[in-house]
Amino acid sequence: MASPSPILRQLGCFRSLLKPQPQSLLQTGLNRRALSTVYSAKPTPKPIPENLPEQFIRQLPLHLRPKDPKARRPIPPPPPSAFNKCKDPVGAVADAQLAVLDPTGERRALFDYRRSQRSVKPGDIVRVTFKNGDPFNGVCLSIRLRGLDTSFLLRNQLTKVGVEMAVKVYSPNVESVEIVQRAASRKRRARLFYMRNPKHDMGTVENIVTNYIRQKRMLSGKKRAPVKAKK
Amino acid sequence: MTPRLPGKLAQNSLPSIWGSRHIIRSQAPIRTFGIRSLNPPVNSRYNVGHGLPVLKSTPTAALERKANTLPLRTGAIATKKGMTAMYDTETGKRIPCTVLQLDRVEVVSHKTVQKHGYYAVQLGAGWRRPANLTKSLLGHFTSSGISPKRHVYEFRVKDESGLLAVGKMVNADWFQEGQYIDARSNSKGKGFAGVMKRHGFGGQDRSHGVSLTHRSLGSAGPSQGGGSRVYPGKKMAGNMGNEQNTVQNLKILKVDPENGIVVVNGSVSGPKGCVVRIQDAIKKPWPEDILSSLPSS
Amino acid sequence: MIQLKTMLNCIDNSGAAVVECVNVLKKKRPATVGDRIVVVVQKQRSFGPDTTNNVGIANKVRRGDIRHAVVVRVKKEMQRPDGSIVKFDDNACVLVNKSGDPIGTRMNGVVATELRSRQWSKILSLAPMHV
């Protein structure tokens, strides 16, 4: 064939129809999908087996499930909260302890140096007596106000060796705390740690304390005398 | 799937292909329910039988082993509120203590051997806004008739007698002064920590040719002789803290059921406000009066 | 906090004045009051009038002697059971022999009461004062 006639050339557009269909079913489907939309019947719902065990009911779509009486249970209101009732439990426990250890509030007043006038102040000479009878005397260097853990630091020199003791104010081991001598002038610091330096060290306070004890005994002796006289 | 069109607009398709498809669809099995294994378990023919001892790796044997160390009754979910001290007025001893508070602790549900393989009481504490809960959790709470809980934890118990009824409240008086408990909580998170802080390694020299590795670990293991690999469990840098820690045998110093306060001796892991699970100490004898008060005994 | 190389005052009349700690016994951490340590005598006490009175005591230990000692005062603060804290301005010890009896017959200086709970009542009774 040298050259196709013009009629044949026009018929060439139908050539695709004459082509054999591809063998693969899948390919046919793909081609078809691209070309047109196919009708398929709406799927009918599958039958649900009768007497379906309870644990499988949740797998059904919601509208098919039998109505659960539990489903719309009201949400119970919360019970009263302990957190709201007692906002500061640590404080409550500490307060309960303080009520036992310091029922009169005397010790608190003796060391609350910011509020109480007659309290111990840094620089005072203090004598502490413990339950077992041992006393400890010293200059008060600092007072640490921390509620139940309130403590004060005393410094003294015993046998020419500096000794420091921090005593918990509310400790049941503390029998009594006495102010032996007030500081001569108001100290301009709350913590007198500089008194540890040799330049500022007060040395021993034993002499002052023994004097105080002697005076106290004399005073109490005087007091005792009239009582006896009355009797 | 092919898009569907109303019948009258549909094209006629090749009957041969579509016919075959319809046949396939009609052959599809009716829907079945439940999860089924493809390989159902086959009972072993060996080492099982009436006269034979229970195998050690079975759940039955595990429960038997645990029987002595599982508490008889449930514990409680508490919150760490802080630390303070208590004085023993007789000896004058100062005892540091941790203050825990119980907030609306209620039994949410049970775990049983028959269903779950072990006995446990699921407790909830606090309160959570229902709007912030998933529906499934909300249903879990409301179906047992309690308000939504902020924290939910399980407490294992030895047997059925330890299962406190659902909805019952556990208050501070669940514990007694003088008894011992184990406190379980997450420790304070330290973030990504190096080996010196995390495992107490010595670090390396400041000088003597050491460059840029003063705080790092030395070798991660032997070379060819050791298999040329890093052994599992090698201590390395990583996240430190924020992992569960149990402090055992803490004595209960004080109980205040009105405010839900439980004061225990010593310290408990974690920051203030963390959740602490407390339960009868397993290394101490069970509290006597609790034994008598258990429902079954 | 008494450890290797710590210099302590010796406060008995055994003849030692300053001793150096070379070992802490029965402990993996620094020694405190009541702990037994091994010391080297670094400085002898110059006994003026004492030597004339009691020659034997003055010669009990010499410089360079290795002895056992019990710590009686420490600078590091010690906590008592009731929460109070005690500390001294120096570290001091008393020399003892191998069986635990003090070598000296007298002590000059305050000591800590913790010695009693550590079974050193003998030293405590020798001391002129305790805190």
Side-chain angles (χ1 to χ4, degrees), chain C residues 13-14 18 21 25 59 70 74 83 94 97 118 124:
Chain C
N13 63 348
S14 61
V18 178
C21 174
L25 297 173
N59 293 338
V70 176
V74 281
V94 171
N97 58 22
R118 307 293 304 273
L124 204 62

mmCIF file of all heavy atoms in Angstrom, chain C residues 13-14 18 21 25 59 70 74 83 94 97 118 124:
data_model
loop_
_atom_site.group_PDB
_atom_site.id
_atom_site.type_symbol
_atom_site.label_atom_id
_atom_site.label_comp_id
_atom_site.label_asym_id
_atom_site.label_seq_id
_atom_site.Cartn_x
_atom_site.Cartn_y
_atom_site.Cartn_z
ATOM 1 N N ASN C 13 46.369 15.034 129.770
ATOM 2 C CA ASN C 13 47.738 15.275 130.231
ATOM 3 C C ASN C 13 48.669 14.130 129.837
ATOM 4 O O ASN C 13 49.572 13.763 130.556
ATOM 5 C CB ASN C 13 47.761 15.505 131.744
ATOM 6 C CG ASN C 13 47.286 14.274 132.490
ATOM 7 O OD1 ASN C 13 46.750 13.356 131.881
ATOM 8 N ND2 ASN C 13 47.500 14.244 133.789
ATOM 9 N N SER C 14 48.423 13.556 128.667
ATOM 10 C CA SER C 14 49.283 12.478 128.195
ATOM 11 C C SER C 14 50.597 13.016 127.657
ATOM 12 O O SER C 14 51.538 12.247 127.474
ATOM 13 C CB SER C 14 48.567 11.694 127.097
ATOM 14 O OG SER C 14 48.302 12.555 126.018
ATOM 15 N N VAL C 18 49.201 18.723 120.069
ATOM 16 C CA VAL C 18 48.513 18.737 118.782
ATOM 17 C C VAL C 18 48.774 17.399 118.114
ATOM 18 O O VAL C 18 49.916 16.932 118.068
ATOM 19 C CB VAL C 18 49.014 19.896 117.896
ATOM 20 C CG1 VAL C 18 48.325 19.862 116.557
ATOM 21 C CG2 VAL C 18 48.769 21.224 118.577
ATOM 22 N N CYS C 21 45.237 13.431 112.534
ATOM 23 C CA CYS C 21 44.484 12.207 112.255
ATOM 24 C C CYS C 21 45.088 11.513 111.042
ATOM 25 O O CYS C 21 45.365 12.149 110.026
ATOM 26 C CB CYS C 21 43.022 12.546 111.998
ATOM 27 S SG CYS C 21 42.044 11.140 111.487
ATOM 28 N N LEU C 25 38.630 4.875 112.379
ATOM 29 C CA LEU C 25 38.387 3.445 112.545
ATOM 30 C C LEU C 25 36.898 3.128 112.460
ATOM 31 O O LEU C 25 36.055 3.907 112.919
ATOM 32 C CB LEU C 25 38.928 2.975 113.895
ATOM 33 C CG LEU C 25 40.445 3.128 114.061
ATOM 34 C CD1 LEU C 25 40.850 2.800 115.485
ATOM 35 C CD2 LEU C 25 41.203 2.256 113.083
ATOM 36 N N ASN C 59 56.128 11.972 130.024
ATOM 37 C CA ASN C 59 56.857 11.196 129.028
ATOM 38 C C ASN C 59 56.007 10.104 128.381
ATOM 39 O O ASN C 59 56.526 9.235 127.724
ATOM 40 C CB ASN C 59 58.081 10.541 129.681
ATOM 41 C CG ASN C 59 59.065 11.605 130.097
ATOM 42 O OD1 ASN C 59 59.047 12.712 129.563
ATOM 43 N ND2 ASN C 59 59.894 11.279 131.075
ATOM 44 N N VAL C 70 40.178 9.298 120.884
ATOM 45 C CA VAL C 70 38.720 9.436 120.783
ATOM 46 C C VAL C 70 38.401 10.912 120.613
ATOM 47 O O VAL C 70 38.908 11.750 121.364
ATOM 48 C CB VAL C 70 38.021 8.892 122.051
ATOM 49 C CG1 VAL C 70 36.528 9.139 121.972
ATOM 50 C CG2 VAL C 70 38.307 7.429 122.212
ATOM 51 N N VAL C 74 34.010 18.654 118.181
ATOM 52 C CA VAL C 74 34.156 18.890 116.743
ATOM 53 C C VAL C 74 33.561 20.242 116.372
ATOM 54 O O VAL C 74 32.646 20.739 117.029
ATOM 55 C CB VAL C 74 33.475 17.790 115.899
ATOM 56 C CG1 VAL C 74 34.312 16.553 115.829
ATOM 57 C CG2 VAL C 74 32.089 17.504 116.374
ATOM 58 N N GLY C 83 16.481 17.796 118.273
ATOM 59 C CA GLY C 83 16.600 18.772 117.199
ATOM 60 C C GLY C 83 17.559 19.899 117.495
ATOM 61 O O GLY C 83 17.841 20.701 116.615
ATOM 62 N N VAL C 94 41.111 12.859 122.822
ATOM 63 C CA VAL C 94 41.781 12.329 124.006
ATOM 64 C C VAL C 94 42.475 11.045 123.580
ATOM 65 O O VAL C 94 41.860 10.205 122.910
ATOM 66 C CB VAL C 94 40.741 12.033 125.110
ATOM 67 C CG1 VAL C 94 41.377 11.291 126.255
ATOM 68 C CG2 VAL C 94 40.104 13.308 125.588
ATOM 69 N N ASN C 97 44.577 4.006 124.895
ATOM 70 C CA ASN C 97 45.407 2.874 124.487
ATOM 71 C C ASN C 97 44.563 1.880 123.694
ATOM 72 O O ASN C 97 43.372 2.109 123.461
ATOM 73 C CB ASN C 97 46.086 2.225 125.701
ATOM 74 C CG ASN C 97 45.063 1.744 126.721
ATOM 75 O OD1 ASN C 97 43.913 1.523 126.374
ATOM 76 N ND2 ASN C 97 45.483 1.605 127.959
ATOM 77 N N ARG C 118 28.042 6.821 123.255
ATOM 78 C CA ARG C 118 29.002 6.032 122.486
ATOM 79 C C ARG C 118 29.891 5.192 123.399
ATOM 80 O O ARG C 118 30.975 4.779 123.010
ATOM 81 C CB ARG C 118 29.866 6.952 121.616
ATOM 82 C CG ARG C 118 29.079 7.891 120.725
ATOM 83 C CD ARG C 118 28.317 7.142 119.650
ATOM 84 N NE ARG C 118 29.198 6.312 118.856
ATOM 85 C CZ ARG C 118 29.860 6.746 117.788
ATOM 86 N NH1 ARG C 118 29.716 7.982 117.397
ATOM 87 N NH2 ARG C 118 30.644 5.951 117.118
ATOM 88 N N LEU C 124 34.166 10.778 129.847
ATOM 89 C CA LEU C 124 33.214 11.800 130.269
ATOM 90 C C LEU C 124 33.400 12.125 131.761
ATOM 91 O O LEU C 124 33.301 13.275 132.180
ATOM 92 C CB LEU C 124 31.795 11.301 130.009
ATOM 93 C CG LEU C 124 30.734 12.374 129.835
ATOM 94 C CD1 LEU C 124 31.044 13.228 128.620
ATOM 95 C CD2 LEU C 124 29.377 11.743 129.684
#
